[in-house]
Amino acid sequence: MNKTEFLIGRSGLDLLDDFYPDDLPNEWRFDYYSTLFKALALKIDTEEDLEQIFTELEDSDEVFELVISIDQTQLLDATQLASKLKPIHQYQSQFILFCELDEQLNAEIMAVLNGYQLCFQSDKKFKFDLNTKLIANKHLYFNQLPILYTSNVWDEKQIRDFLQDISLINTKTVLICKHAESETLNKIRIIAEILGF
């Protein structure tokens, strides 16, 4: 039987809780962050230097999952989507493209996304030629790793209950806690270890 392994991270590098040393240059934030946390979500139009991050990931032997999130409105036009993906296309093996959906994607959009590692999350059930899991009342559609993206802020009991619920996914899972600061991420990581995940 497989065991769930959580790769825990947040959305964006802008932690506000004195996580980074005061004298740390901005361009070193990803390196510092990735020594403690194993996942990070960045918007496709982030101001972070994605090329530098991809280079650091390529040079590292550490397990780390970079999630590039895209808004559903950016998945409406295939030509615009291809243009949006062009700057990162050559790095497609180094990230998972993620989107929260509330409607089915058409075949033209899915053709543009062919070859990318994908994960979609939705409250609705859709038909995709992808792996499917229903976890914590969310439908996950993915071809490599599932990503569970949440903006909830929990206390310790809620974290424990949530981790036990999503451990049923039974595979390596990326857990992105959108607004979490480093203290919360550490708490989630410690509880996951205590629970044996």
Side-chain angles (χ1 to χ4, degrees):
M1 181 166 115
N2 291 331
K3 178 182 166 188
T4 303
E5 175 189 351
F6 292 115
L7 303 177
I8 298 164
R10 75 181 311 272
S11 181
L13 287 169
D14 296 326
L15 289 116
L16 303 174
D17 60 352
D18 298 326
F19 174 69
Y20 302 109
D22 290 339
D23 59 348
L24 186 76
N26 245 18
E27 60 270 16
W28 292 3
R29 290 190 314 165
F30 174 75
D31 192 47
Y32 189 88
Y33 172 93
S34 65
T35 59
L36 291 175
F37 305 113
K38 298 304 168 200
L40 173 69
L42 293 173
K43 293 186 176 186
I44 194 164
D45 45 12
T46 181
E47 292 182 10
E48 300 292 341
D49 186 346
L50 283 177
E51 199 164 315
Q52 177 190 342
I53 291 173
F54 290 136
T55 301
E56 288 186 37
L57 288 174
E58 197 170 53
D59 294 342
S60 174
D61 294 332
E62 297 293 318
V63 173
F64 190 91
E65 289 298 332
L66 180 63
V67 176
I68 301 293
S69 63
I70 192 163
D71 191 270
Q72 182 170 292
T73 58
Q74 296 170 310
L75 296 174
L76 299 177
D77 181 281
T79 305
Q80 288 180 357
L81 176 60
S83 174
K84 190 65 108 172
L85 292 171
K86 189 174 182 182
I88 60 173
H89 178 75
Q90 69 188 43
Y91 304 107
Q92 64 182 334
S93 66
Q94 293 179 274
F95 64 88
I96 302 170
L97 198 60
F98 174 83
C99 184
E100 292 183 274
L101 297 178
D102 59 20
E103 61 185 59
Q104 180 79 43
L105 299 179
N106 65 41
E108 191 179 11
I109 294 296
M110 291 305 292
V112 173
L113 297 175
N114 186 39
Y116 285 90
Q117 296 180 72
L118 301 172
C119 183
F120 304 123
Q121 177 175 301
S122 183
D123 293 329
K124 300 177 181 178
K125 187 171 184 176
F126 298 123
K127 290 192 177 196
F128 286 110
D129 188 18
L130 297 167
N131 299 312
T132 304
K133 293 273 186 183
L134 177 61
I135 298 293
N137 297 317
K138 298 288 183 185
H139 295 275
L140 304 181
Y141 308 95
F142 57 96
N143 58 5
Q144 295 291 324
L145 292 181
I147 298 169
L148 197 58
Y149 190 96
T150 180
S151 55
N152 293 343
V153 179
W154 307 294
D155 62 28
E156 206 162 309
K157 182 185 181 320
Q158 290 168 315
I159 292 170
R160 183 180 296 271
D161 292 346
F162 184 74
L163 289 175
Q164 287 180 324
D165 188 16
I166 64 176
S167 70
L168 300 174
I169 205 162
N170 229 14
T171 187
K172 187 184 287 188
T173 302
V174 178
L175 176 57
I176 299 293
C177 304
K178 184 176 183 181
H179 302 294
E181 295 296 328
S182 62
E183 182 181 339
T184 302
L185 293 176
N186 278 321
K187 195 179 291 185
I188 294 168
R189 187 178 55 169
I190 289 166
I191 292 171
E193 288 171 8
I194 290 169
L195 294 174
F197 304 135

